[in-house]
């Protein structure tokens, strides 16, 4: 069985991609693929990923748990498609003062550890920094308390903390260049 993981960076059409996949469930199933729902993804990955982020890690039972859950969710399909924003971290982490998705590297390596026995392809959309910052800021205000945009501009844009390279580097280290597919959100 193969897995295709869409690591949904916030504000890069993740919801649209997920809804499109779910709307085409029958078409995908006829081609040997299944797209996990949000709830199925949470069920498969939430607890193992939490444990995998808390060293020392006993990988064997966590890998078995994930493999078993994926096989059950696949229902015989040869490929499981997973699209999930929370793999990289919660939205509130976007505007930390340290880095963009400060826990992303650890989370990506933990995810790779959980799926080390699997054939995985990782998909990631990256967005222009300025447009991403503005859109993510609006989303953060939607779900959290007010904070001025100046903080985003000054802390992320001016100080160079809004940078996709550390995330891409972590993906390449964790999964290998042959398994990573990147595209520009603006081309979607």
């Amino acid at each position: 069985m193969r897995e295709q993981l869409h690591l949904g960076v916030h504000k890069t059409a993740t919801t649209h991609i997920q809804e499109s996949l779910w709307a085409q469930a029958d078409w995908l199933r006829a081609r040997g693929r299944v797209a996990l729902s949000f709830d199925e993804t949470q069920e498969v990955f939430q607890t193992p990923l939490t444990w995998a982020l808390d060293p020392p890690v006993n990988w064997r039972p966590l890998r078995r748990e994930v493999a078993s859950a994926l096989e059950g969710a696949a229902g015989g399909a040869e490929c499981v498609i997973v699209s999930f924003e929370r793999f990289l971290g919660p939205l509130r982490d976007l505007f930390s003062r340290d880095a963009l998705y400060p826990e992303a590297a650890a989370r990506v390596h933990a995810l790779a550890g959980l799926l080390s026995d699997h054939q995985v392809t990782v998909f990631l959309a990256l967005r222009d920094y300025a447009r991403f910052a503005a859109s993510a800021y609006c989303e953060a205000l939607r779900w959290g308390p007010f904070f001025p945009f100046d903080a985003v501009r000054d802390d992320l844009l001016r100080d160079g903390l809004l940078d996709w390279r550390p995330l891409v580097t972590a993906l390449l280290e964790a999964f290998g260049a042959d398994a990573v597919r990147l595209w520009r959100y603006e081309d979607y």
Side-chain angles (χ1 to χ4, degrees), residues 8-52:
V9 170
H10 290 86
K11 308 316 296 174
T12 58
T14 300
T15 302
H16 180 263
I17 290 168
Q18 291 166 337
E19 290 174 353
S20 297
L21 288 168
W22 300 330
Q24 296 300 318
D26 292 340
W27 186 88
L28 290 167
R29 174 66 70 188
R31 285 151 183 81
R33 292 170 169 73
V34 62
L36 298 189
S37 70
F38 179 87
D39 291 339
E40 289 170 321
T41 301
Q42 289 259 107
E43 188 175 317
V44 169
F45 287 102
Q46 185 167 346
T47 299
L49 189 55
T50 300
W51 282 105

Side-chain angles (χ1 to χ4, degrees), residues 22 25 28 32 49 51 83 85 91 114 124 166 178 187:
W22 300 330
L28 290 167
L49 189 55
W51 282 105
S83 176
E85 283 180 327
L91 181 64
L114 292 172
L124 182 75
D178 290 342
D187 294 335

Side-chain angles (χ1 to χ4, degrees), residues 116-133:
S116 64
D117 299 333
H118 299 247
Q119 183 182 351
V120 178
T121 305
V122 178
F123 297 86
L124 182 75
L126 301 175
R127 191 169 180 179
D128 170 79
Y129 297 132
R131 291 182 181 145
F132 172 78

Side-chain angles (χ1 to χ4, degrees), residues 87-108:
F87 280 140
L88 300 176
L91 181 64
R92 70 176 180 273
D93 285 354
L94 287 178
F95 296 109
S96 78
R97 295 179 184 252
D98 299 325
L100 180 65
Y101 288 116
E103 295 180 11
R107 295 174 72 84
V108 163

Side-chain angles (χ1 to χ4, degrees), residues 11 91-92 94-95 133-152:
K11 308 316 296 174
L91 181 64
R92 70 176 180 273
L94 287 178
F95 296 109
S135 183
Y137 171 74
C138 292
E139 187 73 5
L141 290 181
R142 179 177 168 207
W143 297 106
F146 175 79
F147 59 97
F149 186 74
D150 292 353
V152 174

Side-chain angles (χ1 to χ4, degrees), residues 62-76:
L62 293 176
R63 287 180 182 135
R64 275 196 309 257
E65 182 180 338
V66 169
S68 176
L70 284 171
E71 284 182 32

